[in-house]
């Protein structure tokens, strides 16, 4: 306890007052310069009323930080893979997965007027028509040689190779990802090959954003890596205590979203034990729980797993299993969801995804990089898929349904994983990469990855105004937008 607080408390005690423990918590967060004045005034007022206890309510009234009871905090889980995961068997499972991907995305693209001229690949191959037609499918090959890009598409009726000649269109073709769904405008060339004249992605429609009726705020966090030596425990604790401070924004926070890599896990990478301060999942989750318990109870906390958290590694991931820490599941203000998940926060649709696929996409796509993760997020939105590339670093399970297709149009898209906090907008959708609370690891340093950890991003769900609190003492560590 600091000196000023001791002096202030002694003053009240000598005047015959009792101080409620909740009131004490508030006092701990008050500016020390103001403590003496606050206590003296409250003591004077309450002595006049002949009431000799100082409660949380007294302090909140005095400081003008009484929580606004009209602020809503409604959480609805609109989509969560946890209970839908079935895992089909081997090849049959993957066939089902890809046919589900194709069908869902074909349904999405059917809203476009061009879809009326859509042919199946089998019927396109027998066409004699000189008119342009459209086909759609999943990209199974793309390669560029001598100024020509060849694309192979597959649909349930067969596969088709088309050639792209136009320079601009080749650039678009160059950014297509393997197993991504596309529609092409195509014509029959002179020597019966197919010429691709346009490439159309499912993409997002422009549409009005849903807003909250009341000014509740949501905080976007991810990649805490609790249990790691590099977890910024002090900074994170400082942020958590800010949540109980009289700050006007802190007083309006009703949601905290944690987008995965809550803990550092065990055995996630070779020799990880040397970089851990908590050696078991249980210990790591216990520490998580201790931090979560310091968050005011009127804040709903949504917890999603990432590649470091317990449960299965392959996407889609179920929520962190209850067996590791049943008490997180039992808390009334905590909602455990899988990865990816879609939530409604006071009517605002938030799509959360840890972001594992970013690694594969950055590696294969010209123009994309780790330091601008929101550009990769735009790529995912255009593809209407959270992890298009199959068979690379990101494990994908053979589900009977492709739960990674972006079926809903979100108002906010929340991703983490690459440890770079960044904000952007795309077609009216607010893009948030929530960065991390882990300092640069030796691995990240060795590959030149520079995280900007220790930044909490928050959004007013009524106005969509964005704020942030930066707990990093390094002045180069800033939020990108
Ligand atoms: O990953 C944080 C970022 O660092 C993410 O972009 C992957 C990358 N990363 C971390 N460890 C490795 C290894 N061992 N190989 C390749 N890429 C890696 P996070 O999930 O938080 O560890
Ligand atoms: Fe991480
Ligand atoms: Zn991660």
């Amino acid at each position: 306890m600091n000196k000023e607080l001791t002096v202030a408390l002694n003053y009240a005690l000598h005047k015959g007052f009792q101080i409620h423990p909740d009131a004490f918590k508030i006092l701990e967060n008050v500016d020390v310069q103001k403590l003496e004045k606050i206590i003296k005034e409250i003591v004077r007022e309450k002595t006049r009323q002949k009431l000799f206890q100082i409660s949380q309510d007294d302090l909140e009234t005095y400081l003008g930080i009484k929580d606004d009871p009209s602020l809503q905090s409604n959480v609805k889980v609109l989509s969560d893979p946890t209970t839908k995961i079935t895992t089909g068997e081997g090849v049959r499972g993957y066939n089902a997965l890809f046919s589900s991907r194709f069908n869902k995305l074909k349904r999405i693209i059917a809203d476009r007027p061009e879809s009326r001229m859509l042919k199946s690949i089998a019927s396109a191959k027998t066409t004699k028509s000189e008119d342009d037609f459209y086909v759609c499918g999943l990209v199974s090959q793309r390669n560029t040689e001598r100024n020509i890009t060849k694309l192979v598409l597959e649909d349930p009726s067969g596969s088709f190779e088309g050639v792209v000649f136009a320079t601009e269109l080749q650039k678009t073709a160059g950014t297509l990802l393997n197993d991504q769904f596309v529609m092409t405008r195509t014509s029959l060339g002179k020597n019966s090959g197919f010429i691709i004249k346009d490439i159309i992605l499912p993409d997002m429609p422009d549409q009005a954003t849903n807003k909250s009726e009341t000014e509740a705020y949501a905080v976007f966090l991810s990649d805490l890596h609790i249990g790691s030596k590099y977890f910024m425990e002090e900074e994170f604790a400082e942020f958590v205590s800010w949540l109980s401070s009289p700050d006007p924004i802190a007083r309006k926070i009703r949601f905290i979203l944690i987008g995965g890599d809550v803990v550092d896990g065990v055995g996630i990478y070779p020799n990880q034990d040397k970089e851990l301060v908590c050696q078991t999942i249980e210990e790591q989750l216990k520490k998580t729980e201790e931090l979560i318990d310091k968050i005011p109870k009127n804040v709903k906390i949504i917890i999603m797993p990432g590649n470091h958290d317990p449960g299965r590694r392959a996407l889609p991931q179920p929520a962190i299993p209850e067996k590791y820490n049943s008490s997180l599941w039992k808390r009334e203000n905590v909602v455990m969801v899988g990865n990816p998940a879609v939530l409604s926060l006071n009517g605002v649709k938030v799509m959360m995804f840890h972001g594992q696929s970013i690694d594969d996409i950055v590696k294969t796509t010209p123009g994309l990089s780790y330091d601008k993760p929101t550009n990769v997020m735009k790529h995912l939105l255009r593809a209407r898929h959270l992890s298009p590339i199959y068979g690379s670093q990101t494990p994908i399970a053979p589900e009977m349904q492709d739960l990674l297709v972006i079926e809903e149009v979100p108002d906010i898209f929340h991703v983490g994983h690459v440890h770079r906090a960044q904000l952007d907008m795309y077609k009216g959708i607010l893009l948030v990469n929530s960065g991390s609370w882990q300092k640069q690891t030796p691995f990240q340093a060795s590959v030149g990855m520079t995280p900007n950890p220790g930044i909490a991003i928050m959004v007013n769900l009524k106005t969509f105004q964005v704020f942030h609190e930066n707990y990093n003492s390094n002045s180069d560590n800033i939020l990108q937008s």
Side-chain angles (χ1 to χ4, degrees), residues 49-313:
Q49 295 171 10
K50 299 199 167 55
L51 297 167
F52 294 96
Q53 201 196 45
I54 297 177
S55 66
Q56 179 181 4
D57 198 55
D58 297 326
L59 281 168
E60 287 177 343
T61 307
Y62 180 86
L63 293 165
I65 57 164
K66 232 178 144 35
D67 281 329
D68 179 351
S70 72
L71 288 187
Q72 297 163 301
S73 59
N74 301 324
V75 179
K76 265 194 229 127
V77 179
L78 302 179
S79 153
D80 176 0
T82 308
T83 54
K84 292 188 208 152
I85 285 170
T86 54
T87 308
E89 292 283 321
V91 173
R92 199 179 133 251
Y94 286 109
N95 284 341
L97 177 74
F98 284 109
S99 108
S100 160
R101 178 182 298 193
F102 177 83
N103 290 330
K104 284 186 181 193
L105 286 160
K106 192 175 167 197
R107 227 172 293 137
I108 289 171
I109 218 158
D111 286 341
R112 289 170 165 269
E114 301 95 325
S115 293
R116 277 181 282 125
M117 291 171 279
L118 202 55
K119 282 183 191 299
S120 73
I121 287 179
S123 74
K125 280 174 145 173
T126 58
T127 190
K128 303 273 184 293
S129 161
E130 286 177 9
D131 297 337
D132 290 354
F133 56 88
Y134 291 81
V135 291
C136 64
L138 305 179
V139 175
S140 65
Q141 274 180 53
R142 126 171 103 82
N143 53 59
T144 304
E145 263 173 43
R146 284 178 278 143
N147 298 326
I148 294 174
T149 299
K150 283 186 185 166
L151 284 181
V152 178
L153 300 189
E154 283 180 25
D155 79 359
S157 75
S159 81
F160 137 108
E161 185 182 86
V163 183
V164 185
F165 292 107
T167 320
E168 273 309 301
L169 198 58
Q170 287 202 56
K171 279 192 200 145
T172 311
T175 65
L176 293 180
L177 306 169
N178 246 354
D179 311 313
Q180 164 170 11
F181 177 95
V182 293
M183 176 157 82
T184 62
R185 180 160 63 85
T186 312
S187 69
L188 205 53
K190 287 197 187 71
N191 42 14
S192 72
F194 293 107
I195 300 168
I196 295 176
K197 294 181 164 172
D198 201 4
I199 294 170
I200 299 135
L201 303 178
D203 213 334
M204 288 285 156
D206 290 299
Q207 72 167 48
T209 312
N210 298 302
K211 303 230 152 107
S212 162
E213 275 172 24
T214 57
E215 285 217 337
Y217 281 65
V219 184
F220 295 84
L221 307 174
S222 64
D223 299 270
L224 311 188
H225 292 266
I226 295 169
S228 159
K229 272 214 284 213
Y230 307 102
F231 167 48
M232 294 162 67
E233 185 163 1
E234 266 174 41
E235 290 86 345
F236 191 73
E238 214 184 309
F239 160 70
V240 169
S241 96
W242 173 82
L243 293 168
S244 308
S245 77
D247 183 288
I249 292 182
R251 302 278 32 88
K252 289 184 181 169
I253 288 169
R254 292 293 177 276
F255 309 99
I256 293 181
L257 282 69
I258 309 180
D261 286 0
V262 183
V263 295
D264 204 53
V266 172
I268 307 292
Y269 56 88
N271 297 319
Q272 187 185 14
D273 53 330
K274 301 193 179 64
E275 297 183 358
L276 290 178
V277 287
C278 304
Q279 293 293 342
T280 65
I281 293 285
E282 285 77 6
E283 260 180 277
Q284 296 177 0
L285 282 169
K286 184 158 182 291
K287 196 160 179 174
T288 306
E289 208 183 324
E290 283 163 13
L291 286 162
I292 284 193
D293 279 340
K294 297 203 170 86
I295 296 174
K297 296 293 171 285
N298 63 356
V299 177
K300 302 263 168 69
I301 304 159
I302 292 103
I303 300 180
M304 193 185 79
N307 52 311
H308 281 255
D309 298 303
R312 86 168 180 192
R313 281 291 277 284

Side-chain angles (χ1 to χ4, degrees), residues 223 225 261 307-308 359 370 393 417-419 443-444 449:
D223 299 270
H225 292 266
D261 286 0
N307 52 311
H308 281 255
D359 293 323
Y370 276 120
Q393 210 174 304
H417 187 57
V418 292
H419 297 207
F443 168 82
Q444 289 163 356
M449 263 180 118

Side-chain angles (χ1 to χ4, degrees), residues 324-340:
Y324 292 104
N325 193 318
S326 55
S327 51
L328 267 185
W329 282 82
K330 287 196 183 86
R331 282 184 172 56
E332 264 180 32
N333 64 330
V334 174
V335 183
M336 304 292 278
V337 295
N339 172 32

Side-chain angles (χ1 to χ4, degrees), residues 24-50:
F24 183 76
K25 266 200 219 155
I26 296 179
L27 286 171
E28 276 184 321
N29 287 304
V30 165
D31 179 358
V32 289
Q33 315 287 337
K34 297 184 186 146
L35 261 176
E36 193 184 336
K37 180 168 174 274
I38 293 170
I39 286 289
K40 284 191 170 163
E41 287 186 15
I42 292 178
V43 164
R44 189 181 323 129
E45 178 56 25
K46 297 218 78 169
T47 309
R48 206 177 52 75
Q49 295 171 10
K50 299 199 167 55

